[in-house]
């Protein structure tokens, strides 16, 4: 079966009365299975025909024997009565006629059984006997099996490059129904019965029924728009390529995450270093401010300055050149805040200088120094 070419496979199916569609990589196995089933059906029909012919021959022999037995009493008997010349006088149990009739009796029994088989109902859709129920179940399972294979192959092709240019993995319900009718010869009623069984089943059969809105749950067959396989069937090459692509993608994501973390660590280190440098510059600025305010106070004591206090902005302009004031603004603000909170020798006051209110610093000499000077 596997050695048949596409042309031979098509001719074999046509010879058995089945008209196949295009034979491709996705449908070749399906048509091979169809050819195998058709051959089995032909072989089964041949065996049934042989059994029918044997039954007909057996019935003909039984009728002939019955006719002979009815005509036997009307025939004249010979005058000589010899046991050897009158075989019909011998006991039936030991004569060859009994053995023959026994054999014919078996054939008759078999013929009667085949008559009963022949009288079984052909249309089992409306019957409830065990034979019809088994036939209905077998037909339903065949439809489900073919539908599962078809959807799995189509979904696998969509995932592996989509050579058939499908719009999505969800196959329209009419297309799926036409395929099942072409392969299995099932009616639309059996196809709808299969969909109903999927909806009513609590098991995961690997087939998703979807409506117009994929997010809504389908509850009836008339709302089914398309069917999708939950387990796409992909070839070995496609699986390997997808696995390789997934592995490469995961490796790239790992290295990107590692590079991001490394960059974040470098940024944090740079930020920490800048904060340390800024804090060190703030302490240096505090020292300079203390020196300027203290020197101004000393000059005031020596009558070299008019006021014992000095303006804060004046100190800033003295310590920071104009081109660095914007860059050093944060350092200056932190130094001023530090002095207001942690330096008791410098007192912040508000005085009117040149007609404007402004904040000034005044150096506060400790009381112990003042007592010693007195």
């Amino acid at each position: 079966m596997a050695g048949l070419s596409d042309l031979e496979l098509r001719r074999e199916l046509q010879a058995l009365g089945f008209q196949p569609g295009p034979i491709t990589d996705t449908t070749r196995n399906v048509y091979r299975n169809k050819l195998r089933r058709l051959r089995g059906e032909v072989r089964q029909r041949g065996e049934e025909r042989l059994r029918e012919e044997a039954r007909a021959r057996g019935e003909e022999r039984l009728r002939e024997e019955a006719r002979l037995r009815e005509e036997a009493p009307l025939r004249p008997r010979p005058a000589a009565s010899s046991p050897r010349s009158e075989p019909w006088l011998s006991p039936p149990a030991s004569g060859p006629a009994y053995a023959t009739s026994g054999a014919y009796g078996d054939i008759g029994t078999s013929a009667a059984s085949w008559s009963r088989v022949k009288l079984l109902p052909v249309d089992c859709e409306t019957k409830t006997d065990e034979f019809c129920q088994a036939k209905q179940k077998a037909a339903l399972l065949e439809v489900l099996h073919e539908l599962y294979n078809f959807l799995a192959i189509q979904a696998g092709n969509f995932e592996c490059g989509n050579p058939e240019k499908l719009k999505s993995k969800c196959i329209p319900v009419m297309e799926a129904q036409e395929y099942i009718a072409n392969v299995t010869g099932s009616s639309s009623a059996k196809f709808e019965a299969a969909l109903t069984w999927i909806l009513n089943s609590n098991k995961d059969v690997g087939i998703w029924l979807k409506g117009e809105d994929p997010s809504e749950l389908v509850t009836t067959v008339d709302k089914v728009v398309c069917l999708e396989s939950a387990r796409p069937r992909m070839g070995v090459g496609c699986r390997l390529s997808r696995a390789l692509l997934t592995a490469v993608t995961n490796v790239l994501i790992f290295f990107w995450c590692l590079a991001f973390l490394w960059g974040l660590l470098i940024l944090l280190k740079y930020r920490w270093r800048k904060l340390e440098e800024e804090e060190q510059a703030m302490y240096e600025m505090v020292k300079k401010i203390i020196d300027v305010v203290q020197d101004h106070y000393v000059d005031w004591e020596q009558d070299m300055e008019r006021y014992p206090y000095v303006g804060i902005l004046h100190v800033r302009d003295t310590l920071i050149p104009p081109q660095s004031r914007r860059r050093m603004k944060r350092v200056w603000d932190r130094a001023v805040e530090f002095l207001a909170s942690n330096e008791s020798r410098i007192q912040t006051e508000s005085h009117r200088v040149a007609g404007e209110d402004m904040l000034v610093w005044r150096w506060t000499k400790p009381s112990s120094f003042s007592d010693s000077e007195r």
Side-chain angles (χ1 to χ4, degrees):
M1 186 73 68
L4 294 176
S5 63
D6 294 345
L7 181 59
E8 293 174 347
L9 180 59
R10 178 181 296 277
R11 289 177 178 176
E12 290 285 343
L13 290 171
Q14 291 175 349
L16 294 175
F18 179 79
Q19 186 63 32
I23 301 178
T24 61
D25 294 338
T26 58
T27 61
R28 186 175 294 109
N29 291 332
V30 175
Y31 287 129
R32 287 175 178 173
N33 294 333
K34 182 66 176 180
L35 178 60
R36 189 179 294 106
R37 285 195 298 271
L38 290 176
R39 287 180 174 178
E41 293 175 359
V42 170
R43 183 167 56 253
Q44 184 177 1
R45 287 197 297 268
E47 293 175 355
E48 292 179 357
R49 186 172 61 255
L50 292 177
R51 286 194 291 267
E52 287 291 334
E53 292 177 356
R55 181 181 64 82
R57 288 195 297 269
E59 291 178 351
E60 183 66 26
R61 290 178 182 177
L62 286 175
R63 286 193 295 269
E64 183 66 22
E65 183 181 4
R67 186 180 61 80
L68 292 176
R69 283 198 301 268
E70 291 176 357
E71 294 177 356
L74 301 177
R75 294 177 181 177
R77 296 184 179 181
S81 60
S82 174
R84 297 181 179 216
S85 61
E86 299 176 357
W88 58 83
L89 296 179
S90 59
S94 59
Y98 178 80
T100 304
S101 64
Y104 288 158
D106 294 340
I107 295 176
T109 303
S110 176
S113 64
W114 279 106
S115 298
R116 288 194 297 271
V117 172
K118 185 176 180 180
L119 293 176
L120 285 174
V122 178
D123 185 9
C124 287
E125 294 183 358
T126 59
K127 305 299 180 180
T128 59
D129 57 275
E130 294 182 359
F131 177 81
C132 283
Q133 290 296 323
K135 287 293 184 182
Q136 288 288 89
K137 184 177 181 181
L140 178 64
L141 292 178
E142 182 183 8
V143 171
L144 290 173
H145 178 71
E146 294 294 343
L147 182 61
Y148 175 85
N149 289 336
F150 173 68
L151 295 177
I153 292 174
Q154 294 297 91
N157 291 337
F158 185 83
E159 295 289 342
C160 296
N162 195 13
E164 298 184 4
K165 306 300 180 182
L166 299 175
K167 295 182 179 179
S168 68
K169 293 188 294 184
C170 199
I171 306 301
V173 64
M174 293 304 299
E175 182 178 344
Q177 181 177 348
E178 291 176 0
Y179 175 83
I180 294 301
N182 188 24
V183 174
T184 63
S186 302
S187 62
S188 59
K190 291 184 178 179
F191 181 80
E192 293 180 359
L195 298 186
T196 304
W197 185 89
I198 295 174
L199 290 175
N200 298 332
S201 177
N202 296 325
K203 300 179 181 179
D204 182 13
V205 297
I207 299 175
W208 293 335
L209 306 182
K210 296 184 177 181
E212 294 182 357
D213 188 359
S215 60
E216 295 182 359
L217 184 64
V218 178
T219 56
T220 57
V221 176
D222 57 344
K223 294 183 179 180
V224 178
V225 176
C226 60
L227 299 92
E228 180 178 343
S229 174
R231 306 179 184 92
R233 185 177 299 171
M234 296 175 284
V236 178
C238 178
R239 291 181 181 274
L240 290 177
S241 61
R242 288 172 62 86
L244 181 61
L245 180 61
T246 302
V248 172
T249 303
N250 292 335
V251 170
L252 290 177
I253 292 175
F254 171 76
F255 278 110
W256 275 111
C257 293
L258 187 63
F260 174 76
L261 294 175
W262 184 259
L264 183 62
L265 180 60
I266 293 175
L267 181 62
L268 290 176
K269 286 184 176 181
Y270 173 77
R271 179 63 178 170
W272 293 334
R273 186 172 67 252
K274 294 295 290 184
L275 290 176
E276 290 178 357
E277 293 176 355
E278 183 179 314
E279 188 172 4
Q280 187 66 28
M282 184 267 296
Y283 287 128
E284 293 292 335
M285 183 63 67
V286 168
K287 291 179 181 180
K288 293 178 180 181
I289 292 173
I290 292 174
D291 292 339
V292 169
V293 175
Q294 187 178 13
D295 291 342
H296 182 84
Y297 184 78
V298 172
D299 292 342
W300 175 76
E301 286 184 334
Q302 297 175 1
D303 296 330
M304 298 176 62
E305 293 290 344
R306 183 176 180 182
Y307 302 105
Y309 49 81
V310 61
I312 294 177
L313 296 180
H314 178 71
V315 176
R316 183 199 66 183
D317 297 342
T318 303
L319 296 177
I320 303 175
Q323 66 272 15
S324 303
R325 286 172 190 171
R326 179 178 294 181
R327 179 173 56 85
M328 297 292 292
K329 182 179 184 305
R330 180 176 174 82
V331 176
W332 172 259
D333 292 340
R334 290 188 63 187
V336 172
E337 184 180 356
F338 181 84
L339 288 172
S341 303
N342 300 283
E343 184 58 58
S344 61
R345 296 174 296 176
I346 296 179
Q347 185 177 357
T348 303
E349 299 175 352
S350 178
H351 288 275
R352 181 172 291 274
V353 179
E356 289 187 24
D357 291 334
M358 62 182 305
L359 294 176
V360 297
W361 278 323
R362 179 195 295 270
W363 181 261
T364 303
K365 185 180 292 188
S367 59
S368 58
F369 294 162
S370 299
D371 295 340
S372 63
E373 288 178 359
R374 292 194 188 101

